[in-house]
Amino acid sequence: MSAHSRTPAMPSRRLFLGAATATTMALATDLTLGARSAHAADSAYVMGYFTESPNGLGTDYGLHLAVSTDSLNWTPLNQNNPVVTPTAGAGGLRDPFIMRKRDGTFVVLATDLKGTDWGYNSQYIHVWDSPDLRTFTNYRRPRLHDMVTHSWAPEAFWDASRNQYAILYSSVNSSGHNVLMVNHTSDFTTVSAPQVFFDPGYDVIDGDMAVGVNGVNHLYFKSSRTGGLVGARSTSLNPGSFTPFSTSVAHGGTEAPTLVKSLTSNTWYLWGDTYTPNGVFYAWQTNDLASGTWTPVDQKLYTHPVNAKHCTIAPITGPEYTNLLARWGAPAWNRLKSYNYPARYVRHADYTARIDTYPFDPYTDSQWKLVPGLADASGVSFQSVSHPTRYLRHYDFALRLDASDGTGTFAQDATFHRVAGLADASWSSFRSHNQPTRHIRHSGYALRIDPIATATDRADATFSVGH
């Protein structure tokens, strides 16, 4: 969840409380990847998350969804609005988790908490059933324990030895610190008595499982000792059997580990959610989960949904991917990420165009509609989402956000031609319509149009167009 140790000096929660249905054959040949079951037909991924932005303009404590074909670059659904929101308990959720059940349908779990009241106690979690993540039914709130504490970041995995699902979550028990608890269930409605699943003797939260990888079960968690993500392992799924083994990975304060196995290679990804600064996902990778060592993924290679927090990632089929896009729709807007400063996105500020480090508010200042060029429909113009009467245009070679005055000059100044990225052909560059020897580039983080001559110029003039 973002959960966190009960150390008063720590300011954030993390720090404060330290095919729509799979075939029978496919289910019979499950490959358990992380806490999610994948089957042979899977070819894409779905992400669940909630949203927070620095000043709250993009904050929403409902279930959000995004889809991806590579597990690295994501298309938010429903215009990055929630697809379902709790109606009981705190009236909001954090830390959603999506799992495909043995019958091929999905179950969604989430923390019963709206906002950042880390002192809010709830023995309950939110649960929905869904055949396809297009509809959500049978909303309920099973009670997991009777302790006067929380039930943070619930996740689930199939325990074949018990022929039941296990629900994993963090609570403060009689030890006085957060431990990972477990309940077992067949229906996510009636649950067994809680047990301590993992307690290394200090605050741990946000457990995420990879079950049965070469006969070993891996548990990743946020460690209060390291401030990062650490792995433990066991050859069984018995409570108390896991032993820490990995090096800690972090980028600032990091929590909410999410293990993802590539569907096309031996690569494993470990996603983490940072809270110093708040609101950025980072990813690491390894080709050997047993090694316990991870290499950071270049930020050029992945982009998560705007304002996303504490993600869950599950494999889905090609038809499910297509049907989710058909049901919820892709965004009508795009964001542009800098090639050589991939932590920065194109935005307007005081009507000037620049690249700034994500996250920021108003986050809508970085959202653009790429519309047919005002002077040439084969080109593009950048219409602001937050100021829809205004477009990016060059003036004295600097880019700024102006309202159209209806003149031909404005239309030409606001029209660009999208070409293969000058530093990377899989990215994009934008050539000025009426100054065709010049391309959009950043200089001192400000955007302008300039002639491009050097490798630095080419990198400055290259952007990704995504969401």
Side-chain angles (χ1 to χ4, degrees):
M1 160 173 195
S2 328
H4 322 111
S5 69
R6 291 184 176 270
T7 306
M10 295 181 175
S12 77
R13 171 187 72 171
R14 288 108 192 145
L15 295 176
F16 183 74
L17 289 167
T21 301
T23 65
T24 301
M25 179 179 295
L27 288 172
T29 59
D30 274 354
L31 297 175
T32 304
L33 307 180
R36 306 104 179 126
S37 293
H39 45 78
D42 287 333
S43 60
Y45 307 82
V46 63
M47 175 188 285
Y49 53 99
F50 68 99
T51 59
E52 286 181 339
S53 66
N55 298 328
L57 299 180
T59 296
D60 186 280
Y61 298 105
L63 173 66
H64 296 66
L65 297 178
V67 290
S68 172
T69 57
D70 64 3
S71 81
L72 294 174
N73 293 287
W74 295 89
T75 299
L77 302 177
N78 200 32
Q79 305 302 314
N80 208 32
N81 294 315
V83 299
V84 68
T85 300
T87 56
L93 64 76
R94 297 180 70 98
D95 324 321
F97 177 77
I98 298 170
M99 186 183 72
R100 191 189 297 276
K101 295 188 293 184
R102 303 293 286 179
D103 64 2
T105 66
F106 296 92
V107 66
V108 179
L109 315 179
T111 302
D112 176 17
L113 177 60
K114 181 178 183 179
T116 56
D117 180 5
W118 313 133
Y120 178 81
N121 293 319
S122 178
Q123 298 81 29
Y124 301 85
I125 59 172
H126 301 298
V127 178
W128 290 266
D129 296 318
S130 178
D132 51 15
L133 302 179
R134 291 156 54 97
T135 59
F136 299 87
T137 60
N138 196 23
Y139 170 60
R140 57 208 185 271
R141 293 173 61 244
R143 185 173 186 173
L144 302 183
H145 58 82
D146 59 7
M147 299 180 291
V148 183
T149 183
H150 46 260
S151 309
W152 277 343
E155 296 203 2
F157 59 90
W158 175 252
D159 187 337
S161 67
R162 291 174 171 80
N163 199 35
Q164 286 189 310
Y165 299 100
I167 302 174
L168 193 65
Y169 57 99
S170 53
S171 289
V172 177
N173 70 349
S174 58
S175 70
H177 59 258
N178 274 284
V179 301
L180 296 181
M181 304 290 295
V182 67
N183 300 68
H184 294 92
T185 183
S186 298
D187 56 10
F188 294 94
T189 299
T190 302
V191 302
S192 68
Q195 295 175 272
V196 175
F197 188 77
F198 179 65
D199 178 9
Y202 50 86
D203 243 33
V204 292
I205 59 169
D206 300 347
D208 187 73
M209 293 285 292
V211 176
V213 181
N214 297 322
V216 178
N217 305 305
H218 294 78
L219 165 67
Y220 270 78
F221 57 92
K222 184 278 182 81
S223 166
S224 63
R225 282 195 170 175
T226 69
L229 312 180
V230 176
R233 60 189 174 192
S234 171
T235 55
S236 84
L237 292 172
N238 292 332
S241 67
F242 283 78
T243 303
F245 78 102
S246 80
T247 56
S248 179
V249 296
H251 194 292
T254 307
E255 59 192 9
T258 300
L259 289 162
V260 184
K261 174 68 167 62
S262 169
L263 295 170
T264 58
S265 73
N266 292 324
T267 303
W268 284 84
Y269 296 103
L270 175 63
W271 289 74
D273 184 2
T274 69
Y275 52 92
T276 53
N278 187 47
V280 182
F281 290 169
Y282 289 93
W284 295 263
Q285 66 181 32
T286 184
N287 289 326
D288 182 9
L289 192 61
S291 71
T293 59
W294 298 86
T295 301
V297 179
D298 190 333
Q299 279 189 285
K300 289 188 183 75
L301 301 179
Y302 64 96
T303 302
H304 65 79
V306 63
N307 301 325
K309 292 289 297 174
H310 197 123
C311 75
T312 173
I313 298 174
I316 56 175
T317 67
E320 287 170 337
Y321 171 89
T322 300
N323 291 337
L324 283 170
L325 279 170
R327 169 65 178 88
W328 300 112
W333 42 264
N334 288 278
R335 293 189 296 158
L336 279 72
K337 180 165 69 172
S338 167
Y339 177 78
N340 52 353
Y341 290 87
R344 291 177 176 263
Y345 288 78
V346 172
R347 59 90 59 94
H348 62 83
D350 295 326
Y351 302 121
T352 62
R354 52 180 295 107
I355 57 170
D356 275 351
T357 302
Y358 169 90
F360 46 75
D361 268 332
Y363 69 94
T364 51
D365 289 354
S366 65
Q367 293 176 321
W368 306 94
K369 290 185 177 180
L370 274 61
V371 300
L374 299 183
D376 182 344
S378 68
V380 298
S381 291
F382 297 94
Q383 182 184 18
S384 169
V385 166
S386 59
H387 293 72
T389 65
R390 293 177 177 260
Y391 297 82
L392 279 186
R393 59 87 61 93
H394 65 82
Y395 189 89
D396 287 339
F397 304 130
L399 259 65
R400 67 191 203 188
L401 193 70
D402 281 349
S404 174
D405 59 10
T407 65
T409 298
F410 181 95
Q412 293 191 58
D413 289 351
T415 299
F416 304 88
H417 294 273
R418 184 174 177 175
V419 299
L422 300 180
D424 184 330
S426 67
W427 289 50
S428 297
S429 293
F430 297 91
R431 176 173 52 83
S432 169
H433 178 71
N434 57 351
Q435 298 283 341
T437 63
R438 295 173 179 261
H439 290 75
I440 296 176
R441 60 88 59 90
H442 63 80
S443 177
Y445 305 132
L447 291 188
R448 50 184 293 110
I449 57 168
D450 278 339
I452 303 299
T454 69
T456 298
D457 293 344
R458 290 191 289 273
D460 289 349
T462 300
F463 305 88
S464 74
V465 180
H467 302 296

